[in-house]
Amino acid sequence: MVSHASSSASVEDKPSRGRLLQVLGVGFGLAVIIGNTIGGGIVSTPGKIAAQLPSGWMFISIWLAGGLYALLGSLSISELGTMLPKSGGQYIFARYAFGDYAGFIVGWSDWISTCGATAFISLVIAQYSGVVFSSLAGQTKPVAMAVVIFFAVLQWRGIQWGRSTQNISSLLKALAFGVLIVFCFALGGGGHTASTAAVVEPPRGFALFVAIIISLQAVIYTYDGWTGAIYFSEEVTTPSRNIPRSTLGGVLAVIAIYVLINLATLSVLPISEIAGSDLALGKAASVIFGARGDLIFRSVMIVSMLSAVNACQLMASRVLFAMSRDNLFFAKAAESNPGGTPTFALLLGAIVALLFIATGTVDQVLAVTAFFFVVMYTMSFAAVFLLRRREPDKPRPYRTPGFPWTTGTSLVGSIAFLAGAVASDTQNSIYALIILGVSGPTYLILKRVTRTT
């Protein structure tokens, strides 16, 4: 395990490398959580849940339950974020609590999966753009690459550019969804009441339990991204106050948006038509706006996902920056320019995202790294318990309310979710375990190489 003294010393920044700038506030924290969390999942997940739970109240209850998991988790993450205010996401917590190797596993999986998310979202933007703008049809890969490069160039100028882009794009996202929600409620045809007549009988007994577990997994994946603010902890002004505000406020905002989107969809469509649909919100838009509905929906989604690309690239660069600063990657990636951008880390992340797009491997990468996504949450919640016992006197500007029950609930839920992920996707879980086995020698080689450079 890493002691407090050794951990603190290892993250000292060398003056020659430049530094990150402490210029971010609560507004950016909210923007990065909304931008990173709300993406394509809110479009495809409702159809999967309605297929499992064809009942309006069950359908909405699952979204509230997933939000409760994220809310409880945010309480514990806020304690860690204020206790260890360093940029780099959950890698910081894993390394401090469990040592370099655990940090390496969390950091690399987080970095790769975030680069993969950048590629995936850019591809979806490109596909939707090909429908909205006929001149872009059939140019999916070039357009997706252009999106990645565009945001990388913006961020290269400095964190002020990344911050402004995130704030504006997330605001546009919230407004776009807000307008669509208002139109659904105002012009909806009572789909919610019609659903009681059209819906099949919900499952009962053990089948109902299985349906709830499957639905919760889908919802929790859709909520993933609520930890976005902690990737920038040392760049946040007054982190002891602003990290909890950003995290809790961001989670509550996402819960509100998700629940309203699904209530709005139910107000237009019977749940029997939502069930199995890959684009339930798009179908609702078509009911309201007629032939223009699909174009309006895709335009809203393009605007929505731009903020997610910006957030993912900002976050990925901070993870690699933090790992490099701790000698778990090459020192070059721990350098930042006068504008506070870790330029080499940003460049490497953009290159990896472009490779995923060019080779068409992004789906496989995201499927395998989903295993580690659950591991990260599990380790973070376990770290709260470990550090409370190991370092009870360490300053904690924010302490988790209701500890140990709130953190314990999150930890048990994460372990159960991890078991469910392995059971539901055994093949990719096996691939993930193989990667975990290979990570040991890779870690040792990197440690040796970075010591000599």
Side-chain angles (χ1 to χ4, degrees), residues 109-110 112-114 116-117 217 220-221 224 362-378 414 417-422 424-425 428-429 431-433 435:
S109 60
D110 194 8
I112 291 293
S113 62
T114 306
Q217 286 181 328
I220 290 172
Y221 275 122
D224 182 36
V362 62
D363 289 335
Q364 298 93 312
V365 169
L366 290 176
V368 173
T369 56
F371 173 88
F372 293 103
F373 140 73
V374 189
V375 170
M376 285 192 290
Y377 285 134
T378 304
S414 296
F417 187 55
L418 180 60
V422 172
S424 63
D425 194 355
N428 283 313
S429 297
Y431 291 153
L433 290 173
I435 293 173

Side-chain angles (χ1 to χ4, degrees), residues 372-406:
F372 293 103
F373 140 73
V374 189
V375 170
M376 285 192 290
Y377 285 134
T378 304
M379 292 182 71
S380 290
F381 299 140
V384 178
F385 281 99
L386 176 65
L387 295 175
R388 283 281 187 114
R389 189 192 64 201
R390 192 175 79 192
E391 302 180 37
D393 298 325
K394 184 174 177 64
R396 290 171 170 80
Y398 176 90
R399 300 176 73 89
T400 305
F403 181 88
W405 303 110
T406 48

Side-chain angles (χ1 to χ4, degrees), residues 161-375:
W161 285 76
R163 177 184 66 180
S164 297
T165 302
Q166 192 63 49
N167 290 346
I168 293 170
S169 59
S170 293
L171 177 61
L172 290 174
K173 168 185 286 191
L175 290 174
F177 274 118
V179 169
L180 195 53
I181 288 168
V182 168
F183 272 103
C184 284
F185 281 127
L187 303 178
H192 176 67
T193 55
S195 67
T196 56
V199 72
V200 297
E201 191 69 21
R204 298 178 181 276
F206 184 72
L208 176 60
F209 173 77
V210 172
I212 290 173
I213 296 300
I214 293 172
S215 298
L216 274 174
Q217 286 181 328
V219 167
I220 290 172
Y221 275 122
T222 307
Y223 272 104
D224 182 36
W226 55 266
T227 58
I230 61 168
Y231 285 79
F232 310 91
S233 294
E234 71 189 80
E235 298 161 85
V236 174
T237 58
T238 321
S240 60
R241 181 184 63 195
N242 289 339
I243 289 175
R245 288 182 177 180
S246 297
T247 303
L248 297 174
V251 170
L252 290 172
V254 170
I255 293 171
I257 292 170
Y258 278 175
V259 171
L260 285 172
I261 286 173
N262 285 290
L263 284 172
T265 305
L266 273 175
S267 73
V268 177
L269 298 172
I271 200 164
S272 56
E273 291 188 27
I274 298 173
S277 173
D278 290 332
L279 298 172
L281 189 58
K283 186 182 289 187
S286 295
V287 170
I288 293 172
F289 300 108
R292 295 175 295 176
D294 185 63
L295 288 179
I296 292 172
F297 162 73
R298 291 181 190 273
S299 298
V300 167
M301 291 309 300
I302 290 170
V303 171
S304 168
M305 287 183 285
L306 290 173
S307 64
V309 175
N310 190 67
C312 284
Q313 287 190 281
L314 283 168
M315 291 160 56
S317 64
R318 269 59 185 179
V319 175
L320 199 59
F321 172 90
M323 294 182 67
S324 303
R325 187 167 56 180
D326 293 337
N327 297 318
L328 295 180
F329 193 64
F330 299 109
K332 181 74 173 173
E335 297 177 358
S336 59
N337 66 13
T341 294
T343 48
F344 190 64
L346 175 64
L347 175 63
L348 290 179
I351 290 172
V352 170
L354 291 172
L355 287 174
F356 286 153
I357 293 170
T359 58
T361 57
V362 62
D363 289 335
Q364 298 93 312
V365 169
L366 290 176
V368 173
T369 56
F371 173 88
F372 293 103
F373 140 73
V374 189
V375 170

